[in-house]
Amino acid sequence: MTVHLQASLFDSAEAAPLRLTDLAALRRTELSYGAWIDVLPGWLTGSDALFEHLAAQVPWRAERRQMYDNVVSVPRLLAHYREGEPLPHPVLAAARDALSAHYAEELGEPFVTAGLCLYRDGRDSVAWHGDRIGRGRTHDTMVAILSVGEPRTLALRPCDGGAAQHRLPLGHGDLVVMGGSCQRTWEHAVPKTARGAGPRISIQFRPRNVA
């Protein structure tokens, strides 16, 4: 997979080694209906090097899905690592373990799977949705997203629709964790953009039976 990343002046392979910062710096925003998000900009330093590794080494796949009467291409590339399957870089295993330890008391179980999405440019996107397959449909849970590459907006709104109430530009090692009832009472999306947008990879860590 060949994509072109504009390196961050503050996050290049020469300027910063791959390193996870302290999760104690997470800042929580309470939403409605018992939902919340935790955000930590720049959780992973040196993240441009991780982007280059994942873009080149992950077995990305394109998918097509039924949409009403048509079968359409999914506007992003995908990869998934099941529970117990080795992750494509050691720092991702370290990130998963750090998140599991930090949220152990609140979540009550570890993060065990990793889903990866490659947004190649501003035409790639994901529509409004919640991760409601499995326990996320009926129970409080968490989904943690680490973003590397160029920032793209993660938009959030209540599940009854309307305009986005929160817009988070995520990239270059930023972390967001969606918790509480967020997956069933709120929706999130990565909208298309006509502005120049470079490639971004999101890594979504989830507990068992949440998708």
Side-chain angles (χ1 to χ4, degrees), residues 12-124:
S12 66
E14 293 79 15
L18 277 170
R19 184 177 65 85
L20 298 167
T21 62
D22 192 344
L23 286 170
L26 279 162
R27 292 294 176 263
R28 180 162 298 187
T29 298
E30 299 288 347
L31 307 175
S32 56
Y33 311 117
W36 52 262
I37 53 173
D38 283 352
V39 179
L40 179 53
W43 180 41
L44 176 67
T45 64
S47 65
D48 287 351
L50 178 62
F51 175 92
E52 299 291 352
H53 175 87
L54 297 178
Q57 300 300 324
V58 167
W60 299 105
R61 68 181 186 275
E63 289 190 355
R64 292 176 63 80
R65 294 180 183 173
Q66 189 76 35
M67 182 68 68
Y68 304 108
D69 294 330
N70 299 312
V71 177
V72 300
S73 296
V74 173
R76 59 195 176 278
L77 300 182
L78 305 169
H80 185 260
Y81 293 83
R82 297 185 296 271
E83 182 176 358
E85 192 173 0
L87 297 180
H89 193 286
V91 77
L92 296 184
R96 178 198 58 203
D97 294 347
L99 290 163
S100 294
H102 182 81
Y103 288 105
E105 183 174 350
E106 194 170 12
L107 180 59
E109 59 182 318
F111 294 91
V112 296
T113 66
L116 279 67
C117 294
L118 171 56
Y119 300 85
R120 293 159 289 187
D121 55 35
R123 294 169 293 181
D124 280 353

